[in-house]
Amino acid sequence: MGRHVGIVGVGQTHHARRRTDVSQAGLVREAVDRALADAKLSMEDIDTVVVATGPVLFAAVNQPEKWVVDAIGAQGKSVVRLTSGGGAGFAGALAGYYQVAGGFSERTLVVAYDKLSEGQLQYSISTLYDPFWGREFAVGIMGFSAAYWRARMDVLGHTEEAAAMVAAKNRKNAIANPYAHVKKEVSVQDVLNSKPLCWPIKLLDVPPISDGAAAIVLSSEKMAHHSTSRPAWIRGMAYCCEADNAPERSLMLSEPLAIASRQVYRAAGITNPRRQFDVVEVQEPYSCFELNYYESLGLCPPGQAAELMASGATQLDGDIPVNPSGGCMGANPIGAVGVIRLIEAATQVMGKNESHQIKDAKTALVQSGGGWANLRGCAVLSA
Ligand SMILES: CC(=O)SCCNC(=O)CCNC(=O)[C@H](O)C(C)(C)COP(=O)(O)OP(=O)(O)OC[C@H]1O[C@@H](n2cnc3c(N)ncnc32)[C@H](O)[C@@H]1OP(=O)(O)O
């Protein structure tokens, strides 16, 4: 068990389909300036920096950490860059967490971003598949997601409506989020009637493509009071992987997420996730994934996610609101999303969410993931 680590400062950009007003470096600086100001710190107070982005083709640049260092004034510091598909931001935060928990840094800045308008998203995702087993059949993320959703429909009897309810919930929540770029309320029927992209996936089941960045300052317990009297303490954090092409791989339950949640709940003392969390933020690239996460995170028994969704419990006014921020449906700058979800959860337990604060939120759950849906992680935050 390492040292306690808290999130003491957060900052995210305004996300948009195309942020033509800033370069990639400028986008990063926008988030970093906000996070440092929020933590009442300057770059001089930071020991180490983690830069996280999606795969190279997402924003079509190599080694962005080289010029990100210039843009944020981090020259001379320990800087590592990592990528882990859609979970890049979360993996970056985990790397920063290890640095502080292990005593190698008192304060670490984690900045995650993607400027997807400058890259080739779906082509890039197709290259994530195994060159021998999967590449020939890959059609970006949509082909896999459609097969995955179809399997759940066939085996569990989940309807298109169950996923449409997720999309309608998150799109409605995004309206209050000042950083989201898609803010339009839609009904379940609107989602069902929207343009088919790759059946059963329809236009309103998928997120937009976004440019955006997000940054957090992680601090040791010793230094945290300089920034805030109420940090968001990381009570547990894990990111696990399953074999990509294993024949026994399940499309019903996310095994790596189930493993990660068991580890994290043990560390955080969570025995009844359905009752102990006040708020949950998940990275739902497509609406159908959120249903799987309910089960893999133990918010409901396996196979009962559609019932949980229909009960209203995960709505903003339910007893376990999921994605009060609007999740990926409001904005999806992929490499940044893991950090965005952490920011949303942190501000909830710090009691300072600008626009969609859940009353008396004390304990929050965050889920994030990437790869070919085989890398999944979660974290528990509390005040
Ligand atoms: C871990 C992961 O995240 S994996 C990756 C998951 N993400 C994806 O797969 C991305 C899915 N989305 C897409 O591929 C695209 O958004 C598409 C195909 C649905 C639409 O693409 P296009 O028709 O080229 O639309 P384009 O991106 O130019 O956007 C046009 C407008 O529609 C909006 N828009 C695009 N997609 C959506 C959407 N899914 N929902 C609502 N609005 C949307 C854009 O914000 C933009 O509005 P603006 O100009 O006012 O900002």
Side-chain angles (χ1 to χ4, degrees):
M1 179 66 194
R3 303 192 301 172
H4 289 304
V5 181
I7 297 174
V8 298
V10 304
Q12 60 178 306
T13 60
H14 289 83
H15 312 302
R17 176 66 186 95
R18 289 177 188 81
R19 283 291 308 266
T20 50
D21 57 319
V22 282
S23 63
Q24 293 191 22
L27 192 69
V28 168
R29 189 164 54 229
E30 198 173 298
V32 167
D33 285 352
R34 287 178 182 172
L36 288 174
D38 189 47
K40 305 183 189 70
L41 300 172
S42 71
M43 188 53 77
E44 282 166 21
D45 304 309
I46 300 295
D47 299 321
T48 62
V49 176
V50 180
V51 179
T53 68
V56 159
L57 292 173
F58 276 20
V61 291
N62 277 310
Q63 272 196 279
E65 72 276 22
K66 288 196 313 152
W67 33 268
V68 162
V69 163
D70 285 348
I72 63 174
Q75 50 273 35
K77 298 193 186 290
S78 160
V79 177
V80 290
R81 183 247 177 168
L82 60 79
T83 180
S84 185
F90 191 85
L94 184 64
Y97 169 78
Y98 286 152
Q99 291 178 4
V100 180
F104 301 103
S105 164
E106 294 301 330
R107 293 184 184 116
T108 294
L109 173 80
V110 180
V111 60
Y113 82 97
D114 254 327
K115 205 156 188 294
L116 298 174
S117 63
E118 297 181 9
Q120 293 292 339
L121 178 63
Q122 299 298 353
Y123 167 73
S124 177
I125 291 176
S126 293
T127 67
L128 298 178
Y129 295 76
D130 180 283
F132 184 73
W133 294 107
R135 186 80 51 84
E136 280 208 32
F137 313 104
V139 276
I141 183 77
M142 271 182 213
F144 163 73
S145 304
Y148 159 86
W149 185 3
R150 180 65 206 265
R152 287 182 70 84
M153 287 168 72
D154 288 349
V155 176
L156 302 175
H158 285 180
T159 58
E160 289 177 71
E161 192 176 11
M165 289 172 87
V166 172
K169 167 180 74 70
N170 291 350
R171 286 173 184 279
K172 184 175 177 196
N173 290 352
I175 293 169
N177 182 344
Y179 302 101
H181 86 263
V182 173
K183 295 165 178 260
K184 189 169 177 221
E185 186 164 356
V186 297
S187 67
V188 171
Q189 204 54 47
D190 291 334
V191 181
L192 292 170
N193 292 342
S194 63
K195 187 176 156 189
L197 298 177
C198 186
W199 191 84
I201 294 170
K202 297 165 289 298
L203 178 67
L204 294 176
D205 287 307
V206 309
I209 296 173
S210 312
D211 290 349
I216 49 174
V217 178
L218 298 172
S219 172
S220 66
E221 198 168 11
K222 189 171 88 182
M223 307 301 272
H225 68 278
H226 292 289
S227 298
T228 175
S229 58
R230 191 172 168 175
W233 297 108
I234 299 177
R235 304 295 180 187
M237 193 170 189
Y239 190 58
C240 297
C241 188
E242 69 183 329
D244 212 12
N245 293 300
E248 73 276 16
R249 187 177 171 194
S250 169
L251 290 181
M252 295 302 118
L253 196 74
S254 171
E255 191 60 28
L257 186 56
I259 296 168
S261 63
R262 280 198 294 275
Q263 287 176 10
V264 168
Y265 292 172
R266 197 162 47 242
I270 301 293
T271 51
N272 186 345
R274 175 76 171 81
R275 297 287 162 222
Q276 283 174 271
F277 292 119
D278 300 307
V279 58
V280 181
E281 281 283 334
V282 300
Q283 179 176 0
E284 82 311 0
Y286 291 176
S287 56
C288 55
F289 282 94
E290 185 169 313
L291 297 169
N292 171 298
Y293 301 155
Y294 290 173
E295 298 169 13
S296 304
L297 290 165
L299 303 181
C300 65
Q304 290 185 23
E307 289 78 358
L308 180 64
M309 183 66 235
S311 75
T314 60
Q315 298 281 356
L316 200 54
D317 58 357
D319 65 86
I320 185 158
V322 177
N323 282 351
S325 64
C328 296
M329 293 297 154
N332 195 32
I334 301 175
V337 168
V339 172
I340 295 173
R341 302 278 76 79
L342 283 165
I343 289 176
E344 289 293 343
T347 51
Q348 290 287 355
V349 300
M350 293 164 104
K352 63 175 197 178
N353 194 289
E354 293 171 47
S355 52
H356 40 280
Q357 178 69 48
I358 302 298
K359 196 165 173 286
D360 298 329
K362 291 190 179 60
T363 308
L365 173 65
V366 176
Q367 174 279 334
S368 179
W372 187 50
N374 60 334
L375 289 155
R376 291 281 179 263
C378 64
V380 171
L381 307 184
S382 74

